[in-house]
């Protein structure tokens, strides 16, 4: 005889459904994916999917928000772990470029959803607030990073967040179309050039760097 089957915690159910959705969306495309297939891949019934997400659109919206927020947090941790304030912009660019190259299925899905949202009001209604929220988080992250590194953002931070959000999506599309030419090194170079163009060291921070790098003359 076997005992009662342990109930799967809700967070684990959602995580498995997210992972299954990424797999099914990547294989079938968003339009061709079915909720019962997502449930099967996750190891649940279709009822388990609908008890957590009211529709495929709702699942998509929460999946994108969860995935993008996780990428942002992980990227920040990776940059901080390198502990190179003098090369922070290059490190950020490298993390973003690697994310595009190593998660091609995910970036293809985002491209598909962006195109679908432009045509389908129901998808747009769910997707647009997610993108706005992620832009706000990115803007807050950029603002905090600038303060920490002693650098100035030369354009409104909300505008910069929108620019980078659009750049990442556009570069993901270009990489998917021509990965041999738009490779990781090229992506890193584009991100680096963009960041360098909108960040500049404040005079006080630059003076401190110059002072610490230049030996002081001995007093006579």
């Amino acid at each position: 005889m076997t005992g009662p089957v342990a109930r799967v915690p809700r967070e684990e159910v959602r995580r498995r459904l997210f992972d299954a959705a990424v797999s099914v969306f990547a294989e079938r495309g968003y339009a061709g994916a079915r909720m019962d297939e997502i449930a099967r891949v996750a190891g649940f019934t279709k009822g388990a999917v609908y008890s957590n997400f009211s529709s495929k659109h709702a699942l998509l919206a929460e999946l994108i928000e969860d995935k993008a927020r996780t990428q942002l947090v992980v990227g920040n941790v990776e940059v901080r772990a390198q502990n190179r304030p003098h090369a922070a912009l290059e490190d950020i660019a490298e993390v973003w470029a690697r994310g595009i190259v190593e998660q091609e299925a995910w970036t293809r899905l985002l491209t598909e959803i962006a195109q679908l949202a432009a045509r389908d009001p129901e998808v747009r209604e769910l997707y647009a607030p997610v993108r706005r929220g992620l832009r706000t988080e990115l803007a807050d992250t950029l603002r905090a990073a600038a303060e920490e590194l002693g650098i100035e953002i030369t354009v409104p931070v909300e505008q910069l967040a929108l620019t980078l959000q659009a750049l990442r999506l556009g570069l993901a599309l270009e990489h998917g179309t021509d990965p041999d030419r738009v490779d990781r090194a090229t992506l890193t170079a584009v991100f680096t050039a963009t960041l360098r163009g909108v960040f500049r060291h404040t005079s006080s921070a630059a003076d401190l760097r110059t002072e610490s790098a230049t030996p002081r003359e001995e007093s006579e």
Side-chain angles (χ1 to χ4, degrees), residues 76 79 85-93 96 138-164 167 190-203 205-206 209:
N76 289 341
V79 171
H86 62 287
L89 300 185
E90 291 82 355
D91 291 341
I92 292 170
W96 286 352
L138 179 56
D140 291 342
T141 299
L142 292 168
R143 189 180 293 109
E147 292 178 0
E148 181 178 340
L149 296 170
I151 53 181
E152 176 186 358
I153 303 176
T154 61
V155 297
V157 68
E158 292 79 11
Q159 177 183 319
L160 175 57
L162 175 59
T163 299
L164 292 174
L167 182 61
V190 172
F191 279 129
T192 300
T194 302
L195 292 172
R196 284 178 176 169
V198 294
F199 284 90
R200 68 183 176 200
H201 291 298
T202 60
S203 57
R209 285 183 176 82

Side-chain angles (χ1 to χ4, degrees), residues 90-134:
E90 291 82 355
D91 291 341
I92 292 170
E94 168 64 22
V95 167
W96 286 352
R98 190 172 71 247
I100 290 176
V101 172
E102 293 181 353
Q103 301 186 50
E104 292 187 28
W106 175 248
T107 52
R108 284 198 305 271
L109 174 62
L110 288 181
T111 303
E112 179 188 357
I113 299 310
Q115 294 171 337
L116 183 60
R119 303 190 304 270
D120 187 330
E122 187 177 355
V123 175
R124 183 165 60 248
E125 184 178 355
L126 286 168
Y127 185 55
V130 171
R131 296 292 287 179
R132 292 188 200 115
L134 295 173

Side-chain angles (χ1 to χ4, degrees), residues 37-51:
E37 184 175 8
I38 293 172
R40 180 182 59 78
V41 171
F44 300 115
T45 64
K46 188 165 65 172
V49 183
Y50 283 108
S51 68

